[in-house]
Amino acid sequence: MYAIYREKIVTLQSDMRKLLLFFVVSLVLSASAAQPNDSLDGRYYRLFAPLTFYHNVANKTLALESESAGKDQVTDAIDAALMKIYLKRPDLVNTTETDLEKTGSIIENVDKPIENQVEFVEKVDEPVYDFPQDIPDTLMIQKPKFWTYKGDGSLQFMQNFVSDNWYKGGESNYSMVGALTLEANYDNKDKWIWDNKLELKLGILLSRTDSLHKVKSNEDLVRLTSKVGLHASRRWYYTLQLQAYTQFMPGYKSNDPNTYSDAFSPFNLNLGLGMEYELATKNKRLTGTVNLSPIALNYRYVDRLDLSTKYGLDEGKRSMLEFGPLVTANIVWKFNDVITWKSRLFGFTSFKRVEVEWENTFELRVSKYITANLFLFPRFDDASKSGKYDKDLGYLQFREYSSLGFAYTF
């Protein structure tokens, strides 16, 4: 077996030597017929390109008379060399001239000039930009505004006339209520808020039937609310809230010489630690806050010693300190652009007494500066039976009035 393989290898090497010798002879013949400047002639490319079966080579050899034979010695020598390879080693042929024509040529000569098709459009005038002549070379950085200020004021009038012969009786009176609310709120847009609100309200009542008091108050309030909050989650804050409130003038009843309240009689201060929830709908029609303080301090001071027992203090004492949970809520609901409901809820208990206040103001905006108000104020306080307990209502108290006047927001 080894002898057979060795014989085939020797035969193949002999054929390759003959083929290489034939190529060398052909090149020598071609070089002798070529001119000195034809060393880079393109006619030699078929000797170095992949071996291809060309039709003209076979036609030139098999034809009796060939028109191209004898005209170019280099071409004739190359054709003769290729023909011998076709006959002796057809297995070395990679492709045919027919396959090359199907594939297409690599380079196509351009016989005609290429003309670009250009579409012409109407010429548009270039826009003229008006740049400022003096461009500042300094950068201005504005300090963020953490503080916001707002307020609103109103002056409402009420009038009631009853003739002397009115079958149901009654009395004529005139009254006026002025209110002013100021707010200064801090928000650093990160974690801390500090809200401050001052409410001032005073109503004057003139009654011809009261022989003791020509002028007395029917609405009297001075209240300050201050709240510091630390952001806890999306709508929750840890808060420390302070509320302090009293009144301007002494409080009387018609044809009664007794004084029922006065400035700093009483004076209430509430300090509560807890959490607050910020309420807001998508359309911002309903907004507000609800504050829950499980730990709260309530301090009450009465400047008039004779009013101590009336406000739950021991006789002869001017102050009282209590601890217990506190709940407050402030809600504004704009039903539409005309009607608005403002509500405030306050609830505190020392587990010995309960105090709940619920203020409701319904505002009807007649025009930009004229409003009509309806005020409803139920209140529950069982601190003392003296002057507060009613046979029909018990410890529940109620107040209501309506008014028409001017209002301005700033």
Side-chain angles (χ1 to χ4, degrees):
M1 179 65 70
Y2 173 76
I4 296 173
Y5 281 117
R6 182 178 180 184
E7 181 179 356
K8 289 184 178 181
I9 293 174
V10 172
T11 304
L12 181 60
Q13 291 177 351
S14 177
D15 292 341
M16 294 299 293
R17 283 195 296 270
K18 291 179 180 180
L19 182 60
L20 180 61
L21 180 62
F22 176 75
F23 274 121
V24 173
V25 172
S26 299
L27 290 175
V28 172
L29 292 175
S30 300
S32 63
Q35 298 297 328
N37 294 331
D38 292 338
S39 57
L40 299 177
D41 200 326
R43 293 173 293 179
Y44 299 106
Y45 83 95
R46 292 185 294 173
L47 296 176
F48 304 99
L51 192 57
T52 304
F53 179 79
Y54 297 98
H55 301 297
N56 63 335
V57 176
N59 294 334
K60 183 187 291 185
T61 304
L62 300 177
L64 297 176
E65 294 181 0
S66 177
E67 296 179 358
S68 60
K71 293 183 179 181
D72 189 345
Q73 294 182 2
V74 175
T75 302
D76 292 343
I78 294 174
D79 291 343
L82 292 175
M83 190 62 191
K84 289 185 178 181
I85 297 176
Y86 297 158
L87 295 176
K88 292 186 177 181
R89 294 299 304 274
D91 57 302
L92 299 178
V93 179
N94 293 328
T95 184
T96 64
E97 187 176 0
T98 303
D99 296 334
L100 294 179
E101 291 176 353
K102 292 180 181 180
T103 305
S105 60
I106 299 176
I107 300 177
E108 295 181 357
N109 295 327
V110 180
D111 299 330
K112 297 180 180 180
I114 300 174
E115 297 181 1
N116 296 326
Q117 300 295 330
V118 180
E119 296 183 0
F120 293 94
V121 297
E122 296 182 1
K123 185 178 179 181
V124 180
D125 296 335
E126 296 183 359
V128 179
Y129 300 99
D130 187 13
F131 293 101
Q133 298 296 327
D134 298 330
I135 300 177
D137 55 355
T138 58
L139 180 62
M140 180 180 295
I141 300 177
Q142 294 184 349
K143 185 179 179 180
K145 295 181 179 180
F146 295 142
W147 284 96
T148 57
Y149 306 93
K150 61 180 180 178
D152 61 79
S154 64
L155 184 62
Q156 306 288 316
F157 298 93
M158 292 168 284
Q159 181 267 339
N160 180 32
F161 172 77
V162 178
S163 64
D164 294 337
N165 61 346
W166 182 248
Y167 74 104
K168 287 187 177 181
E171 63 175 350
S172 301
N173 59 73
Y174 302 91
S175 62
M176 177 181 64
V177 177
L180 178 64
T181 302
L182 302 175
E183 293 187 39
N185 302 323
Y186 174 85
D187 186 356
N188 67 351
K189 311 300 180 182
D190 185 17
K191 287 185 177 297
W192 291 98
I193 61 170
W194 183 20
D195 296 340
N196 300 276
K197 184 177 182 180
L198 176 63
E199 299 171 85
L200 306 174
K201 187 181 291 186
L202 180 62
I204 302 298
L205 175 65
L206 303 177
S207 176
R208 293 183 298 177
T209 60
D210 190 351
S211 59
L212 297 178
H213 313 288
K214 296 298 182 181
V215 177
K216 56 180 178 288
S217 63
N218 63 347
E219 181 71 23
D220 199 347
L221 176 66
V222 179
R223 182 165 59 210
L224 173 65
T225 303
S226 183
K227 176 178 56 184
V228 177
L230 174 63
H231 188 261
S233 62
R234 185 169 177 263
R235 292 185 180 273
W236 286 94
Y237 290 85
Y238 302 106
T239 57
L240 177 63
Q241 179 177 256
L242 180 142
Q243 291 190 41
Y245 54 96
T246 183
Q247 61 189 64
F248 289 102
M249 298 174 57
Y252 303 106
K253 291 184 179 181
S254 296
N255 298 309
D256 189 344
N258 296 321
T259 302
Y260 288 85
S261 62
D262 202 347
F264 290 95
S265 295
F267 168 77
N268 291 277
L269 186 145
N270 305 105
L271 184 63
L273 179 64
M275 296 194 71
E276 181 176 272
Y277 179 77
E278 187 178 45
L279 177 64
T281 57
K282 291 184 179 180
N283 56 5
K284 301 299 182 181
R285 290 287 186 182
L286 179 62
T287 59
T289 59
V290 178
N291 192 287
L292 306 175
S293 300
I295 302 175
L297 176 147
N298 181 68
Y299 173 76
R300 178 170 290 180
Y301 172 80
V302 179
D303 186 60
R304 286 176 172 263
L305 196 58
D306 58 326
L307 298 178
S308 298
T309 57
K310 180 178 176 61
Y311 292 101
L313 279 70
D314 295 334
E315 188 174 356
K317 299 290 185 181
R318 293 183 183 272
S319 62
M320 177 178 63
L321 186 63
E322 299 174 301
F323 295 91
L326 173 68
V327 177
T328 59
N330 290 274
I331 297 175
V332 178
W333 188 355
K334 289 187 175 182
F335 296 101
N336 48 48
D337 295 336
V338 178
I339 301 176
T340 302
W341 172 38
K342 299 178 181 179
S343 180
R344 171 188 173 269
L345 177 66
F346 171 88
F348 172 80
T349 178
S350 63
F351 303 104
K352 292 183 180 181
R353 72 176 187 91
V354 177
E355 181 180 354
V356 179
E357 297 179 348
W358 186 22
E359 300 178 19
N360 298 274
T361 302
F362 295 89
E363 180 183 281
L364 174 63
R365 184 165 290 276
V366 180
S367 65
K368 184 177 181 181
Y369 298 110
I370 298 178
T371 62
N373 290 343
L374 174 62
F375 181 73
L376 304 176
F377 187 4
R379 185 177 186 273
F380 181 90
D381 187 359
D382 61 354
S384 173
K385 295 182 180 181
S386 175
K388 292 186 179 181
Y389 186 80
D390 186 85
K391 294 180 180 180
D392 298 326
L393 298 177
Y395 295 108
L396 181 64
Q397 307 167 30
F398 188 79
R399 188 173 184 190
E400 176 269 336
Y401 69 80
S402 58
S403 60
L404 176 67
F406 301 99
Y408 181 71
T409 302
F410 54 91

